[in-house]
Amino acid sequence: MHILQIASEFSPVAKVGGLADVLYGLSKALVKKGHQVEILIPKYDCLLFSQLDDLHILDRNMIVKEGQECYQNTIWTAYFNGLKILFLEPHHPQHYFNRGQIYGCKDDIERFTYFSKAAVEYLISRKNQPEIVHVHDWPTALIPVLYKELYPRFQQKTILTIHNMEHQGKCTSFHLQQLGLGKTNDQLQPSPSSHPINLLKEGIEYADHVTTVSVSYEQEIQTAEGAFGLQETVIKNRHKITGILNGIDEDFWNPEKDPHLVRNYPARPKKDKELKQIIEGKQENKQQLQVHLNLHLSHVPLVACISRLVPQKSPELIQYALERTLAKGGQFVLLGSTCIPSIYETFQNLQTHYQNHKDVSILLDQDESLAHLLFAATDLFIIPSLFEPCGLTQLIALRYSTIPIARMTGGLKDTVFDIDTSSRPFEERNGFTFEFPDTQGVDWALDRALYCYRNDPQKWEILLRNATKKDLSWEQSALEYIKLYSLQLNRL
Ligand code: ADP
C-alpha cells in the first residue's frame, strides 16, 4: 500500500510532543511491513535540519490560491533514518512557517488551513497518488473535507487520528471561503453564520475512518468531559471510530544502545544476570545525572517527570508530587516546557525557591538528550494527568525499567497496572496507580512507590521484571492500522 501521512509534527526534526513520536514510529513500522510511506509536514524554519539526509527541492512552482491571490510554494524532500519526508514551504507574505516555533501563533488557524489546502493541491498535481491519506489532529483535519468537497474525483481514502480532543481548531466560514470552500455547503456553515466552524468536528464527519490513540480514550471521547463538546459528533460517528494504542519506536528508545546514556543496559532481562545489569546500569546513569544536576550523590529514590506543563498534565499535582517526594526524603527531577506564561512563572518561582536544594532539579526546557538520560537514570516516573489520550512517557519509562506512577485515565489506564490493586495477572502489574487527580491520589500511589523502593527489594525486582515484559513496540498497532487501511481499500 502507498500511504501518505500529513501532520504538523515529526520526530525528531519537528517535535513538540507525542504526536511527533507517533508519526515517526508508526511510519517506520509500516515501512518495515513492506508498505510505501511518505510523510508531509510544513517546512518550519526551526526544523532540526542537521538530522536530515539529502534535503533537496522536488518542485519549485506549486501554486495555491488563497482568497483572490495565488501564492507560490516549494516542495522539498529529505530522508530521516530511511523515511521519506516531504516539506511544504509557502512563499506567502505572512511567512506562515518562519516563526521559530511550531504552534502558538495567533494565526495558527490560517497557517494550518493553508498548509492543508496546499498539501491537497500538491497531492492532486502529482503523478504518483497515495492510496491512503492519513491525517492527524486539528491542524490537518480539513484535508478530508477538501478532498470530498473540492476534489471528489480523487478517490483517496482519508483516515483521521485524534491524538488529543482538547484542541479542535475553531474558525469562521470566511477562513474556509478563502480556501475555496463555498458558502453553500450546509455542513460547513452551521447557523448562525457567525458560529465558529470546528475543524476537528468536520474532520470526524468527513474522514472515511477515525482512530483514537487508545481504546479507553475512544470510550472517553463519547462523554461530555472527554469530548470537549464534540460528544454528539463522536457518538453519531462511532461506527467508524477505532481505538488503536500507540507504540514507541524501540530503536529510538533503547537502553541497550541509547547514545545519551553513560552506561547502556539490557532492555529485557532474560536471566537474573541481566536484571542485575539493569539495576547496575541504572545506578551508574543515576550517579552521572546527580553529578550533572548538582544533586546529592545518594541512593534515595529518584522520581522524574518529563512533561509539557499545561493544565491537561495537572501541573499543580506535579508540583505537589515534587514537594511530597522531598518531604519523604527522595529526590525529584522535573524537565518541563510550557508556552503558558502563568504556569511558566509558577515553575520559575519554584526553580528559584529550590535553586540551592541538593535533592531537586527543575529544568524548564525542551531537551531530548536530557530526557533520554532521565528515563534511564531515575527510579520512578510520575504522570498525574487530568486526561491522557495515550501517553508515551509511561511507555518510554517502562522501556528503561523506570516504574510509572500514573493516574488512571485514557491510555495510562490501558498500559499501567497497579502492583497492589490491579485485577490483571500478577506478571502484567508494572506500576503504581491512582484514581482521582488530587493530592490524596498522589499520596496513595507515590508513598507506596517510595516505600517499595526503599523497603521491599523483592517486590521492586518483580516490578522491574514486569515493566520490561510488556510489548511496547509498534508491531501490533501497525498491524491494526494496516488492517484498517486494507478495509478502506476493500482488500480484506
Ligand atoms: P503529549 O503528546 O501530550 O505531550 P506524550 O506522553 O504523548 O504527551 O508525549 C510526550 C513526548 O514529548 C515524549 O517523547 C516526552 O519524552 C517528550 N517531552 C515532553 N516534554 C519534554 C521536554 N521538556 N523535553 C524533552 N522531551 C519532552
Side-chain angles (χ1 to χ4, degrees):
M1 260 178 294
H2 182 181
I3 302 143
L4 189 101
Q5 307 277 352
I6 312 181
S8 48
E9 297 183 39
F10 177 80
S11 186
V13 293
K15 173 165 169 173
V16 175
L19 172 61
D21 291 354
V22 172
L23 259 290
Y24 172 66
L26 173 61
S27 302
K28 207 175 133 198
L30 293 171
V31 168
K32 210 168 139 197
K33 299 255 170 246
H35 299 285
Q36 185 189 346
V37 180
E38 297 169 278
I39 301 114
L40 173 59
I41 64 170
K43 187 167 178 288
Y44 302 104
D45 58 352
C46 53
L47 283 177
L48 300 182
F49 288 99
S50 61
Q51 305 262 2
L52 295 171
D53 295 326
D54 193 21
L55 179 67
H56 62 274
I57 289 175
L58 271 189
D59 184 347
R60 277 180 200 282
N61 213 9
M62 225 272 298
I63 304 296
V64 173
K65 195 165 176 221
E66 187 194 48
Q68 295 309 309
E69 304 293 331
C70 286
Y71 299 109
Q72 194 203 338
N73 302 266
T74 302
I75 305 290
W76 297 73
T77 189
Y79 289 85
F80 174 75
N81 259 353
L83 285 176
K84 183 177 180 186
I85 318 172
L86 301 161
F87 301 95
L88 190 137
E89 179 188 22
H91 301 287
H92 191 283
Q94 294 302 324
H95 305 290
Y96 281 146
F97 300 113
N98 295 344
R99 309 284 181 82
Q101 64 197 89
I102 292 180
Y103 310 115
C105 304
K106 60 179 188 307
D107 59 350
D108 277 357
I109 293 287
E110 286 89 339
R111 296 167 73 221
F112 289 107
T113 52
Y114 179 92
F115 170 65
S116 297
K117 172 84 186 295
V120 177
E121 296 265 324
Y122 164 65
L123 284 177
I124 63 164
S125 73
R126 279 180 21 156
K127 281 202 193 90
N128 184 9
Q129 295 288 324
E131 296 160 282
I132 296 284
V133 174
H134 189 162
V135 303
H136 300 263
D137 275 349
W138 78 264
T140 50
L142 190 62
I143 288 172
V145 183
L146 290 162
Y147 260 110
K148 294 229 162 76
E149 289 295 328
L150 298 186
Y151 311 104
R153 73 191 171 85
F154 287 86
Q155 299 291 308
Q156 271 79 11
K157 294 294 178 184
T158 53
I159 311 289
L160 165 68
T161 294
I162 301 172
H163 299 255
N164 193 326
M165 200 82 189
E166 186 180 15
H167 310 291
Q168 299 177 358
K170 308 238 173 87
C171 66
T172 63
S173 54
F174 173 76
H175 284 115
L176 301 191
Q177 282 165 33
Q178 288 289 91
L179 301 174
L181 281 165
K183 258 181 164 177
T184 49
N185 187 320
D186 285 344
Q187 258 186 301
L188 286 174
Q189 178 120 40
S191 56
S193 59
S194 60
H195 192 81
I197 286 167
N198 185 313
L199 295 171
L200 193 64
K201 173 177 181 290
E202 300 307 335
I204 295 170
E205 299 278 10
Y206 275 80
D208 292 305
H209 203 90
V210 177
T211 69
T212 64
V213 289
S214 68
V215 173
S216 287
Y217 197 56
E218 182 203 334
Q219 305 296 319
E220 288 171 11
I221 62 170
Q222 295 183 34
T223 65
E225 194 193 353
F228 290 90
L230 287 190
Q231 63 275 18
E232 279 174 29
T233 307
V234 172
I235 291 168
K236 182 179 142 210
N237 287 284
R238 70 178 155 203
H239 60 280
K240 62 165 188 179
I241 304 183
T242 311
I244 303 178
L245 188 71
N246 286 335
I248 53 169
D249 183 76
E250 290 195 331
D251 289 327
F252 188 72
W253 299 109
N254 186 358
E256 279 169 27
K257 52 181 189 193
D258 190 326
H260 305 288
L261 274 45
V262 196
R263 172 150 160 206
N264 293 106
Y265 58 87
R268 274 181 204 280
K270 289 182 201 83
K271 305 187 191 103
D272 283 350
K273 194 176 105 208
E274 285 155 337
L275 186 68
K276 204 166 155 248
Q277 285 170 352
I278 291 182
I279 295 168
E280 285 169 3
K282 287 186 72 66
Q283 189 54 36
E284 204 171 319
N285 286 299
K286 184 172 175 175
Q287 276 171 6
Q288 177 61 31
L289 183 77
Q290 286 167 332
V291 171
H292 178 64
L293 297 179
N294 202 19
L295 299 174
H296 279 304
L297 273 173
S298 154
H299 289 294
V300 298
L302 175 51
V303 184
C305 178
I306 303 173
S307 183
R308 290 184 297 122
L309 296 170
V310 292
Q312 176 198 339
K313 308 286 181 181
S314 304
E316 64 295 335
L317 288 184
I318 294 175
Q319 177 177 349
Y320 179 78
L322 180 153
E323 283 159 355
R324 181 85 180 177
T325 302
L326 291 185
K328 293 265 166 190
Q331 293 185 328
F332 199 102
V333 181
L334 167 64
L335 173 61
S337 65
T338 185
C339 51
I340 301 176
S342 58
I343 298 183
Y344 186 76
E345 202 186 316
T346 303
F347 281 89
Q348 221 182 13
N349 289 340
L350 208 63
Q351 198 179 39
T352 311
H353 180 75
Y354 285 115
Q355 63 187 340
N356 297 320
H357 202 296
K358 291 284 208 175
D359 287 317
V360 63
S361 183
I362 299 170
L363 302 119
L364 299 179
D365 197 6
Q366 180 83 21
D367 188 336
E368 187 73 43
S369 171
L370 181 62
H372 284 247
L373 180 60
L374 277 178
F375 280 116
T378 54
D379 305 301
L380 291 155
F381 194 99
I382 189 149
I383 316 154
S385 305
L386 289 182
F387 69 94
E388 198 58 76
C390 175
L392 296 180
T393 52
Q394 81 280 15
L395 303 181
I396 305 169
L398 289 167
R399 176 85 174 141
Y400 285 78
S401 298
T402 299
I403 304 303
I405 304 169
R407 194 225 147 193
M408 290 292 80
T409 178
L412 295 172
K413 207 153 102 183
D414 297 353
T415 53
V416 184
F417 310 113
D418 195 285
I419 187 76
D420 298 317
T421 61
S422 171
S423 55
R424 291 270 179 161
F426 197 67
E427 61 278 8
E428 289 182 25
R429 300 190 202 171
N430 54 11
F432 297 89
T433 66
F434 57 103
E435 184 82 22
F436 299 106
D438 54 25
T439 54
Q440 290 95 319
V442 171
D443 288 352
W444 156 247
L446 181 63
D447 291 2
R448 283 184 297 131
L450 296 171
Y451 181 87
C452 177
Y453 179 88
R454 280 200 160 113
N455 304 306
D456 201 340
Q458 268 180 336
K459 187 167 160 184
W460 187 256
E461 279 196 10
I462 291 171
L463 273 166
L464 290 180
R465 275 183 211 282
N466 291 356
T468 51
K469 275 184 198 148
K470 191 160 177 54
D471 178 13
L472 306 163
S473 74
W474 271 103
E475 181 67 25
Q476 187 51 37
S477 306
L479 288 176
E480 289 183 51
Y481 275 107
I482 291 166
K483 189 171 162 201
L484 197 150
Y485 299 154
S486 305
L487 276 171
Q488 288 303 316
L489 299 173
N490 288 324
R491 292 201 191 141
L492 274 188

